[in-house]
Amino acid sequence: MALFKVLTDFVSNLDTQSITVERKQTLSSLVGYIQQKVDDGKSIHINFICTHNSRRSHLSQIWAQTMAHQFGIENVTCYSGGTEATALFPMVASTLANTGFEVKTLSEGKDPVYSIKFSENEHPVIGFSKRMDDDFNPKSDFAAIMTCSQADEGCPFVPGAEKRIPITYEDPKAFDGTSQQAEKYSERSKQIATEMFYVFSQIKK
């Protein structure tokens, strides 16, 4: 089933040529991990980890799940977690909604829960802030993708991970409360979307 129309248009305009050779080398470990699982006929579990599980790890989780669907890579489940739980930052939900995702708030409070859907017949990603070892996340046989340098340095060992891959992004939080906030969140989301598009486009089924 295709992605939502607005989302399809956004994805069709992503430019993987903008990814540098050095960055592609950084992404190659994730490509290799996924390819090995596909070759072995095994399920693929990827947990994107950042300090607060509020921005970059959620964007990475959602775009990776979307691109797995886009390229027809089956049995992929993407997760996210932090070294501590805070809340999924509202600007992340807004940015995704503006890109074409169907975003609904399932519960409000200190740590709101969102339903983030990319296609009519696919299960939505459930977005909320949680620790990386939360019961919502896998306990073993997963790749831990460290999306921020703080978590990368602070978590040299991720319990249960069979592979740990640093793919770090700059934090759009630096622009919170400024006139550039929306622009910078969109910029970071687009970068992550482009890189996850590249990763899953490399997988041979």
Side-chain angles (χ1 to χ4, degrees):
M1 191 73 185
L3 303 176
F4 291 129
K5 173 73 170 66
V6 175
L7 198 49
T8 298
D9 293 344
F10 177 85
V11 168
S12 67
N13 285 311
L14 295 174
D15 177 21
T16 55
Q17 297 300 312
S18 65
I19 305 172
T20 65
V21 172
E22 292 79 13
R23 191 65 179 172
K24 284 178 179 174
Q25 288 172 346
T26 299
L27 298 169
S28 66
S29 290
L30 179 55
V31 173
Y33 177 83
I34 297 168
Q35 188 65 64
Q36 189 63 58
K37 291 289 184 183
V38 170
D39 293 348
D40 294 344
K42 292 181 176 176
S43 296
I44 302 152
H45 299 280
I46 307 169
N47 195 359
F48 293 90
I49 296 166
C50 199
T51 308
H52 298 118
N53 189 212
S54 57
R55 295 170 176 80
R56 291 165 284 180
S57 47
H58 278 112
L59 289 169
S60 300
Q61 172 192 8
I62 290 152
W63 278 119
Q65 193 70 62
T66 302
M67 295 309 178
H69 174 78
Q70 173 75 359
F71 287 97
I73 311 301
E74 297 180 353
N75 302 318
V76 176
T77 311
C78 298
Y79 309 83
S80 67
T83 53
E84 59 184 277
T86 53
L88 191 157
F89 193 64
M91 193 69 207
V92 170
S94 301
T95 301
L96 292 168
N98 291 338
T99 310
F101 289 89
E102 190 179 273
V103 180
K104 290 183 178 174
T105 306
L106 300 181
S107 74
E108 297 182 349
K110 197 172 66 175
D111 186 6
V113 179
Y114 296 89
S115 159
I116 303 155
K117 205 166 182 181
F118 52 80
S119 178
E120 280 180 4
N121 286 354
E122 293 300 312
H123 197 278
V125 175
I126 304 302
F128 66 100
S129 186
K130 69 203 89 62
R131 284 174 52 87
M132 59 185 175
D133 58 358
D134 188 274
D135 287 342
F136 215 76
N137 288 339
K139 297 291 184 254
S140 62
D141 303 324
F142 66 92
I145 312 302
M146 316 308 286
T147 62
C148 71
S149 54
Q150 209 175 346
D152 184 33
E153 291 158 9
C155 299
F157 172 73
V158 178
E162 52 182 1
K163 195 166 182 67
R164 181 187 174 287
I165 305 168
I167 302 177
T168 61
Y169 295 99
E170 287 183 23
D171 196 353
K173 180 183 180 179
F175 296 91
D176 286 358
T178 73
S179 58
Q180 291 180 281
Q181 184 180 26
E183 174 197 344
K184 291 299 180 180
Y185 273 78
S186 294
E187 195 178 280
R188 189 61 60 245
S189 180
K190 188 174 183 179
Q191 180 198 0
I192 293 171
T194 304
E195 294 190 352
M196 291 303 122
F197 182 101
Y198 170 78
V199 165
F200 283 95
S201 73
Q202 299 302 298
I203 306 303
K204 297 170 179 66
K205 291 186 280 183

